[in-house]
Amino acid sequence: REHSIVWKIAQSPLVSKIFCAPGNPGISELAECINITVDQTDQLCEFAVEENIDLTVVGPEAPLVDGIVDIFNEHGLKVFGPDKKAAILEDSKVFSKSLLKKHGIPTADFKCFDDYQQARRYIASKEAPIVVKADGLSKGKGVFVCKTNDEALQAIDSIMKDKVFGEAGDQVVIEECLIGEEISLLAFTDGKNIVAMESSQDHKTVFDGDTGPNTGGMGAYSPVPLMTDELYLQVEKEILVPTVHAMNREERPYKGVIYIGLMITDAGPMVLEYNVRLGDPEAQVILSRMKSDIVQIMLATISEDLDKVDLEWYSQASVCVVMASGGYPGSYDNGKEITGLDSLKNQDGISVFHAGTKSANGKIVTNGGRVLGVVACGEDIEDAQKNVYEAVSKISFDGVHYRRDIASKAITPPTSTI
C-alpha cells in the first residue's frame, strides 16, 4: 500500500521531493527513506517541522488510531487522514457496529461481549455459520468466519482467553454470517462532500477458492462487474452518505479516505466493516487506475474543498497478486533472496510494489509475510489477470506462496457464494 501511495504521489506535478518513513527498497527508488518507525510519532512530527514538509500522508491504520493527525495539526502541519476521534471507526468494531445500528445503516445482526463465558453461552444458543470478530486492530486477521459452533468457540478462546491479538481481543463482536459477494468501496470525504472511488474486490483467505485462514489480503482486482451504476447509487444513498452524517452527529467529523467493506446480499448491500485508510491490496489496483492527481484531491480533502475537484479514471482493469512468504499468515522465515525484479522494471502496465522486503548485502530479501504486490493492467479483467500472472512467474524466492485464482470470479462468476 505505502509503495503504491508513494508511486502515485510521485506522479503529481505539485511534488518535488518525497520522504518515506521507514520505507523499503522499492520505495527508495522514488523517495528518500528515513529511519523512523510508524509508531514514533514525536520523531515524525519533529522531522516534518524541521524539513518544512508541506503534506504528510498516513498509510497504515495504527498511527491514525494513535492520534498522529491530531499531533501534526497541533504543530500546524498539513496531514491527510482522520483524527483520533474519527479513527475509532476502525479501531473498535464494537463502536462501528453500534454506530451502524444507532443510525439505521444496513449491517448483520450482532451482539458485543466483554465477558468470555457470556460470549461462549451466546454462541451455544446460535446456529452456525457465525462470525466472530476481535474488537480492535488485528492486521486483518481478527475476523473468523466459523462454519460450526465449535469453530466459533475456538475463535472465542483464541481472542479472549489466549489473547492472540492482545488488548484488541478484550471485547468481541459475534454476528450473523451474511451470504453474498464482498466488495470494497473507498471514498474521499472532507466531512461534507464525498467522492467515491472505483470498486475493487479483495481476496482475504490464504488459499485458492477462498479457503484457509484470513490474511491481510492475497490480491485484488478493479473494477468489480457486480458494482453497477445502480448499485453504486444505492450504496451511496443507504451507506456512504449516512455514515459520514452519522460521524458528524456523533461529533467525530471524518476527513480522509473511508473504506467500506460491503456484502452484496439478496436483501441489498450491507456493511461488513470500516477501515480508516486505503485498503491493502485494494490501493494497488485502485491507484493504478486513477487518472487524477491524488495530491490535489488530498489537499482538497484537508481544506474541505472536495466539491471543487474531479476524480477521473482510466478505463483499464487492474489485478494485483500478493506474493507471500511460505507459512504466512502463520510463522515464516525472513531473509530469502528475491530474484527476477529487474526483468519487470519499466515494463508498461506492470508495477511491482514492495511490502515485506529489505536490502541485505546488495540483494533484496524477504522481510515480512506479504512480500510483494505485483500489479498488471489490461483492457479487461481477463487481460489484466493474464498479464499479472506472466509477471509473477518471473519473480521467485524460496518458499514463495501466492494464490492462482485472483480475479477469476470476475471472469467466471461463481454459481453460488457462501
Side-chain angles (χ1 to χ4, degrees):
R1 172 181 50 213
E2 284 71 30
H3 188 178
S4 66
I5 293 169
V6 169
W7 172 81
K8 186 62 183 169
I9 287 171
Q11 296 167 22
S12 171
L14 300 172
V15 175
S16 57
K17 172 77 176 175
I18 306 172
F19 297 93
C20 187
N24 60 37
I27 291 172
S28 69
E29 295 179 9
L30 298 166
E32 183 179 328
C33 295
I34 54 171
N35 191 24
I36 307 175
T37 58
V38 295
D39 58 351
Q40 294 177 305
T41 306
D42 291 341
Q43 290 98 312
L44 290 166
C45 190
E46 283 170 26
F47 180 88
V49 170
E50 286 169 11
E51 295 289 337
N52 293 313
I53 300 296
D54 297 303
L55 173 65
T56 299
V57 179
V58 187
E61 60 274 16
L64 294 167
V65 163
D66 290 341
I68 191 170
V69 168
D70 307 68
I71 292 164
F72 272 56
N73 283 336
E74 284 165 16
H75 287 80
L77 295 162
K78 273 187 185 170
V79 56
F80 179 79
D83 63 14
K84 186 178 176 67
K85 281 183 77 174
I88 193 174
L89 203 56
E90 179 168 1
D91 185 36
S92 172
K93 288 186 174 63
V94 170
F95 171 85
S96 61
K97 290 293 290 191
S98 302
L99 181 93
L100 287 160
K101 187 175 184 180
K102 179 179 176 181
H103 295 277
I105 301 167
T107 191
D109 285 339
F110 70 97
K111 277 207 168 184
C112 305
F113 296 91
D114 58 11
D115 183 276
Y116 168 71
Q117 293 296 347
Q118 284 182 5
R120 286 181 64 87
R121 282 197 292 273
Y122 180 73
I123 284 170
S125 73
K126 304 302 285 185
E127 279 188 28
I130 196 165
V131 180
V132 179
K133 298 179 178 180
D135 174 50
L137 300 183
S138 47
K139 297 182 179 175
K141 299 169 195 169
V143 176
F144 298 83
V145 180
C146 307
K147 293 175 183 172
T148 65
N149 286 57
D150 281 345
E151 280 183 28
L153 291 171
Q154 286 168 18
I156 291 292
D157 285 350
S158 296
I159 296 169
M160 301 190 84
K161 189 178 176 186
D162 303 335
K163 290 290 181 187
V164 293
F165 305 116
E167 290 180 4
D170 287 351
Q171 295 186 84
V172 294
V173 174
I174 302 172
E175 63 182 43
E176 67 169 325
C177 184
L178 296 176
I179 307 299
E181 197 68 34
E182 253 185 86
I183 293 178
S184 303
L185 185 65
L186 287 76
F188 294 100
T189 179
D190 58 12
K192 299 183 299 181
N193 306 288
I194 303 165
V195 179
M197 299 187 218
E198 287 281 272
S199 60
S200 59
Q201 185 174 68
D202 183 15
H203 295 61
K204 288 188 169 65
T205 58
V206 71
F207 300 125
D208 288 9
D210 295 330
T211 58
N214 269 353
T215 69
M218 292 300 294
Y221 67 90
S222 176
V224 182
L226 183 64
M227 197 67 172
T228 60
D229 290 346
E230 186 180 54
L231 186 53
Y232 249 115
L233 289 171
Q234 187 181 359
V235 170
E236 199 170 80
K237 181 183 172 185
E238 296 178 8
I239 294 170
L240 200 46
V241 171
T243 296
V244 174
H245 283 321
M247 290 297 281
N248 284 332
R249 289 200 293 274
E250 297 292 327
E251 297 183 351
R252 297 175 183 272
Y254 194 104
K255 289 166 71 169
V257 167
I258 187 165
Y259 168 124
I260 304 179
L262 299 167
M263 183 69 84
I264 312 303
T265 73
D266 288 343
M270 296 195 180
V271 177
L272 289 172
E273 64 174 353
Y274 291 110
N275 292 328
V276 297
R277 35 67 191 182
L278 283 163
D280 186 350
E282 292 97 336
Q284 291 89 300
V285 291
I286 290 170
L287 297 182
S288 296
R289 298 188 57 226
M290 188 182 289
K291 196 174 186 179
S292 301
D293 181 347
I294 196 170
V295 176
Q296 228 175 8
I297 295 160
M298 287 173 168
L299 291 172
T301 302
I302 294 166
S303 62
E304 299 182 9
D305 291 320
L306 205 47
D307 55 328
K308 295 174 184 170
V309 295
D310 289 321
L311 191 50
E312 293 184 79
W313 300 90
Y314 294 111
S315 59
Q316 66 195 20
S318 181
V319 177
C320 173
V321 172
V322 170
M323 302 184 75
S325 294
Y328 174 80
S331 60
Y332 52 84
D333 295 323
N334 287 325
K336 309 292 186 184
E337 183 185 353
I338 303 167
T339 59
L341 292 170
D342 288 343
S343 68
L344 295 171
K345 277 188 177 167
N346 305 315
Q347 196 166 319
D348 195 35
I350 304 289
S351 301
V352 180
F353 295 118
H354 290 230
T357 67
K358 71 174 183 179
S359 296
N361 303 317
K363 297 172 181 174
I364 295 177
V365 300
T366 64
N367 190 43
R370 292 189 296 170
V371 179
L372 301 166
V374 183
V375 177
C377 297
E379 289 180 15
D380 53 25
I381 298 285
E382 194 167 1
D383 188 37
Q385 186 196 53
K386 177 177 70 71
N387 294 341
V388 78
Y389 280 109
E390 276 178 19
V392 164
S393 71
K394 295 175 182 174
I395 302 171
S396 64
F397 53 87
D398 187 31
V400 62
H401 166 71
Y402 56 89
R403 283 183 55 164
R404 287 164 169 78
D405 65 344
I406 303 299
S408 288
K409 64 174 71 173
I411 299 163
T412 310
T415 51
S416 65
T417 306
I418 297 175

